[in-house]
Structure formats: structure tokens, C-alpha cells
Amino acid sequence: MTSVKEQGKQRAAILQGTLDMLILRTLLYGPAHGHQIGKHIQQTTNDFLQMQHGSLYPALHRLEGRGWVASKWETAPDRNREFKYYQLTEKGKKQLLVEESQWKQMMEAVARVMWPASSKEG
């Protein structure tokens, strides 16, 4: 039997993995700084997902530590200010494929429980 503390850790890991996947997917379009990444996710989900700096930047640091993204400071073309731009690495592209595959498996598993009749048809 799983303890409440372990269940909380498992849920946090699922949420963390989902955020990692969304960031990696966003960076597939090209380098972006943190605000751009958060805004893209928010706009793409029609404001359903609100990216908080307290979640986004630790995730970016975690992904950089794993070698899935690389960063460098650059001046924005339309501003006289430097931003830290994040870019997907080859290792990150491979990880994105793994994350997408796991996400699809989870969605299919949940769908089989939630809508058993429709999942048998498809």
C-alpha cells in the first residue's frame, strides 16, 4: 500500500514531468526566454495553464542540469535588455519523444477507464 506522502510525491512527479514536456515542446519551435516560454504555453492552452515563475524557472534549471536545454544570455532584438534564452539540445529532443510517448500511453489508459465504450470503438 502506498502512503499519502508517497502518493503526493508521485503526483508531484507527474505534474513536474508534464511541465517539463510542455517546455521541451515549446522549445522545439526555437530558442526562447522564460517569459516567452510561459506566455506560449498560456496562450496555446487558451489561458487554462498559467505559468508561475516559481514553477517555470526551477523547471528550466532542472532541464538545463539534465542537458535537455542549453542557455545563453543575449540582448533581445527589439529591446535594449539581456534575456536568458533557452534552446533544446539533441538530448532534449530525444527526451521529448520519450515524454510524448509516455503521455500518450497515460492518456489512453485514463480514457479506457473514463470512456470504456468509446475506447473499444477506436
Side-chain angles (χ1 to χ4, degrees), residues 1-63:
M1 181 169 219
T2 307
S3 71
V4 172
K5 188 176 181 179
E6 288 173 1
Q7 288 175 347
K9 284 183 181 179
Q10 289 173 345
R11 277 191 222 121
I14 290 171
L15 291 174
Q16 197 175 68
T18 303
L19 177 57
D20 292 355
M21 181 180 66
L22 294 175
I23 292 170
L24 294 174
R25 182 72 173 129
T26 299
L27 292 174
L28 194 59
Y29 299 109
H33 58 71
H35 181 73
Q36 290 173 324
I37 294 167
K39 194 152 185 111
H40 173 81
I41 293 170
Q42 185 176 332
Q43 289 176 340
T44 305
T45 62
N46 293 329
D47 295 327
F48 184 79
L49 297 177
Q50 304 282 325
M51 298 306 304
Q52 302 297 320
H53 289 186
S55 300
L56 179 61
Y57 288 99
L60 286 166
H61 289 280
R62 185 176 55 252
L63 297 177

Side-chain angles (χ1 to χ4, degrees), residues 67-68 88-95:
W68 298 346
L88 196 58
T89 64
E90 285 303 316
K91 193 175 175 183
K93 289 177 185 173
K94 290 177 185 172
Q95 185 60 32

Side-chain angles (χ1 to χ4, degrees), residues 79-93:
R79 292 180 161 183
N80 191 17
R81 182 176 164 209
E82 281 196 330
F83 291 92
K84 191 172 188 180
Y85 283 85
Y86 295 89
Q87 183 172 358
L88 196 58
T89 64
E90 285 303 316
K91 193 175 175 183
K93 289 177 185 173

Side-chain angles (χ1 to χ4, degrees), residues 105-119:
Q105 288 176 349
M106 189 173 88
M107 283 184 2
E108 289 168 3
V110 170
R112 282 193 294 272
V113 173
M114 297 300 293
W115 307 284
S118 63
S119 65

